[in-house]
Amino acid sequence: MFKKMLHQIRGLLLSSISFAVSPKLVTYARNPPNSSTLEVGDSEGNGYDSHCLSWRLAVEANNVRGWRTVPARCQQYVERYMTGGQYERDTELVVDEILSYVDRIVLPGDGMDAWVLDVDDTCISNVTYYKGKRYGCDPFEGAGFRAWAGKGECPAIPGVLRLYKKLIGCGFKVILITGRDKERLGQVTILNLHDQGFSGYQQLIMRTPEHKGQNAVAYKSNVRRQIVEGGYRIRGNVGDQWSDLQGEHVGDRTFKIPNPMYYVS
C-alpha cells in the first residue's frame, strides 16, 4: 500500500514538472504577448520572425556580406527595429562601451590623440530617407540620396552626439571621414553637422576627384594613413559599416554602430 502511494505521488510530481517546462509556457515566459521584445510577424503569419532576427545578427557580425537590399520579408522587422526603440537602445549600449574605453585612455598631452568617426548613420541619421526606400528593401539610388542629403536635415544620432561631446571635452582630436562628395555636398554637410551639435572637430574629410575609383575600404584606409603620417595616434574608430573599420590604420579599437538598412563595401 505504501509503495503504491509513493508511486502515485511520484507520477503527480513528474506531471507537474512536465507542465511547468512545457514549450508553450517557456515561449510565453521569454516573450509574453505584451513584451517589447515581441517581433513583427513574418510573411507566413507567425508571431515571431526568427529569420529576420537571425539575418540582422548575421549582418552586424559581418557574416552576410555584399547584400544589395534588405530581404522583402524583413521590411516590417527592420522598420520596427529602426523606429521602435531597439536601435536606439543598441546604439546607446555601444556608446556606453566606447565611453568606458575612453575613460581608461591616458592622454600624453601632446594633442596628437585622435578619434575617427564616420558621418552618415554614425553621427547623423538617414532613416527618413530610407523610409522612402522601404528601410533598405529598395536598392540605393545615388541621385535620390544626394537630393535628401542636400536638404541638410539629417538629425543627430543622440548616443553618438553624446560620445562626440565627451571626446572633444577630453581633449581628443576628432576627425570625421565621409564618403560624401565634397564638391556637391561639402557645404551643406558642414552646416548640417554644425546645426546638430557637431562642432569643434579637427577635420572633415570628404571624397574628391583623387579618390575616384576607390571603394570604401581603400578610400578610408588611404585617408587614415595620411592621418597617421601626420603624427596622429588613432585611439578609436567608429562607424556603421564594416568598411569603415577595415583596411589599414584602423586604430587601437574599432566600434560598430548598428545598421541593417544598407551595406557599403
Side-chain angles (χ1 to χ4, degrees):
M1 183 69 176
F2 182 71
K3 289 183 178 181
K4 184 177 180 180
M5 290 178 62
L6 285 177
H7 180 74
Q8 291 175 338
I9 292 171
R10 183 172 179 270
L12 288 171
L13 288 173
L14 289 174
S15 297
S16 299
I17 292 170
S18 176
F19 174 80
V21 298
S22 66
K24 187 173 182 179
L25 283 177
V26 171
T27 299
Y28 273 78
R30 291 176 178 172
N31 298 287
N34 295 323
S35 171
S36 62
T37 62
L38 192 63
E39 303 297 339
V40 176
D42 64 18
S43 59
E44 297 177 355
N46 297 321
Y48 184 85
D49 193 348
S50 59
H51 169 80
C52 293
L53 174 60
S54 297
W55 177 83
R56 181 174 64 81
L57 177 61
V59 164
E60 295 299 346
N62 203 30
N63 291 325
V64 175
R65 303 180 184 182
W67 50 280
R68 294 186 65 249
T69 58
V70 171
R73 68 178 287 184
C74 295
Q75 177 185 342
Q76 287 184 308
Y77 174 86
V78 174
E79 177 181 359
R80 179 162 178 170
Y81 174 76
M82 294 302 301
T83 63
Q86 191 60 52
Y87 167 77
E88 286 81 2
R89 289 189 289 272
D90 289 351
T91 301
E92 289 289 339
L93 188 148
V94 174
V95 168
D96 287 343
E97 288 298 313
I98 301 174
L99 292 175
S100 177
Y101 166 65
V102 169
D103 288 339
R104 298 193 300 271
I105 299 175
V106 178
L107 296 178
D110 59 1
M112 301 303 289
D113 290 278
W115 275 74
V116 170
L117 272 63
D118 173 55
V119 174
D120 284 299
D121 295 300
T122 298
C123 291
I124 52 179
S125 172
N126 294 299
V127 170
T128 299
Y129 167 77
Y130 278 96
K131 178 180 180 180
K133 289 293 182 179
R134 297 191 301 144
Y135 295 92
C137 289
D138 294 335
F140 176 81
E141 190 262 313
F145 178 78
R146 287 191 294 272
W148 153 253
K151 296 178 181 180
E153 297 176 354
C154 301
I157 295 175
V160 179
L161 180 58
R162 176 166 64 97
L163 166 65
Y164 176 86
K165 291 181 176 180
K166 171 75 171 183
L167 294 173
I168 295 294
C170 288
F172 291 99
K173 298 297 190 296
V174 177
I175 299 172
L176 306 179
I177 307 177
T178 176
R180 292 187 178 195
D181 181 74
K182 183 176 182 179
E183 182 178 355
R184 294 178 176 180
L185 295 172
Q187 191 60 33
V188 71
T189 300
I190 292 171
L191 293 175
N192 194 165
L193 287 166
H194 184 272
D195 289 346
Q196 293 300 315
F198 293 93
S199 59
Y201 49 80
Q202 185 71 9
Q203 192 175 2
L204 170 63
I205 301 173
M206 309 184 74
R207 278 188 180 267
T208 62
E210 70 179 280
H211 304 120
K212 186 177 181 179
Q214 296 179 0
N215 65 17
V217 173
Y219 160 59
K220 295 203 169 185
S221 290
N222 288 333
V223 169
R224 291 192 301 264
R225 175 178 51 79
Q226 294 171 9
I227 292 171
V228 171
E229 289 176 351
Y232 288 102
R233 296 176 292 272
I234 300 178
R235 306 307 299 268
N237 182 2
V238 184
D240 69 296
Q241 298 293 314
W242 280 99
S243 54
D244 299 327
L245 312 174
Q246 295 174 325
E248 300 177 5
H249 306 291
V250 296
D252 293 347
R253 281 202 63 179
T254 61
F255 298 89
K256 188 181 183 303
I257 300 299
N259 185 353
M261 297 185 297
Y262 60 89
Y263 180 92
V264 177
S265 58

